[in-house]
Amino acid sequence: EVHLEQSGAEVKKPGTTVKISCKVSGYTFVEYYIHWVKQAPGKGLEWVGLVDPEDGETRYAEKFRGRVTVTADTSADIAYVQLSSLSSEDTAVYFCASVVSGTTHFDSWGQGTPVTVS
Amino acid sequence: EVVLTQSPDTLSLSPGESATLSCRASEIFSSDYLAWLQQKPGQAPRLLIYAASTRATGIPDRFSGSGSGTDFILTISRLEPEDFAVYYCQQYGASPPVSFGQGTRVEIK
């Protein structure tokens, strides 16, 4: 069974950088895309970006382009999202989610990592 | 960019009733790329339906999806207490790869 385990809550100062991890297990890491989704307090879901661990290809939402970096460490089966120049608007829960290569839906989600910028 | 608009924003119903949730897209796309997610407070979203009408593993048959083109529907027949949650439609496409509707909250009347 696919399992995504995220790193713990973060509290950051404005202007700094946060890096969140997503450890995947139960499947072949390179056969899935890993996406990151933001959910601000009381708000809906917002797509941030994705990485294809097989070749490192990344894609980002226009809103976050230039501030976000998504990476994958295939030696440890861990995906990361790094967000820089933090502001209070980045306060949110960030989820990782997996999509089987060749399919079009999220089949598993991490538990979420709360990030507070204050 | 495909924009998904869900309606209504909130649905107030009693257990045992049926719910009909709508998701309208700003442009036509293949139903293969439309999914529905459920989210309960403090939890990660959960996949309910993919390819517009295929139930994910373990999802009860009271959940059903339909639609094509720009209009998609999630129907929940005979609402159970655990079904009161927020529901999102989600599109998997080209650019951007993923977009979500704003969500419909199904609350207990």
Side-chain angles (χ1 to χ4, degrees), chain A residues 38-56:
Chain A
K38 173 187 177 182
Q39 187 167 40
K43 303 297 184 182
L45 304 174
E46 182 175 23
W47 184 73
V48 175
L50 70 85
V51 62
D52 179 355
E54 183 172 35
D55 60 10

Side-chain angles (χ1 to χ4, degrees), chain A residues 51-88:
Chain A
V51 62
D52 179 355
E54 183 172 35
D55 60 10
E57 177 191 2
T58 56
R59 296 187 66 183
Y60 302 116
E62 188 62 36
K63 174 181 177 179
F64 299 98
R65 201 180 304 273
R67 282 204 306 133
V68 66
T69 305
V70 177
T71 56
D73 180 352
T74 55
S75 67
D77 292 353
I78 300 176
Y80 299 92
V81 63
Q82 178 172 294
L83 192 59
S84 62
S85 303
L86 292 170
S87 72
S88 59

Side-chain angles (χ1 to χ4, degrees), chain A residues 2-6 20-24 27 29 31-38 45-53 70 79-81 94-101 103 105-113, chain B residues 37 44-47 90 92 98 100:
Chain A
V2 174
H3 184 70
L4 306 179
E5 185 70 29
Q6 297 183 227
I20 303 166
S21 67
C22 175
K23 168 71 175 174
V24 301
Y27 66 88
F29 188 48
E31 292 180 354
Y32 283 69
Y33 291 101
I34 301 298
H35 294 246
W36 290 91
V37 175
K38 173 187 177 182
L45 304 174
E46 182 175 23
W47 184 73
V48 175
L50 70 85
V51 62
D52 179 355
V70 177
Y80 299 92
V81 63
Y94 292 81
F95 295 98
C96 60
S98 61
V99 175
V100 177
S101 180
T103 69
H105 55 272
F106 296 115
D107 65 336
S108 289
W109 292 73
Q111 81 275 22
T113 296
Chain B
L37 309 172
R46 176 175 73 145
L47 178 68
Q90 172 245 312
Y92 203 87
V98 176
F100 297 97

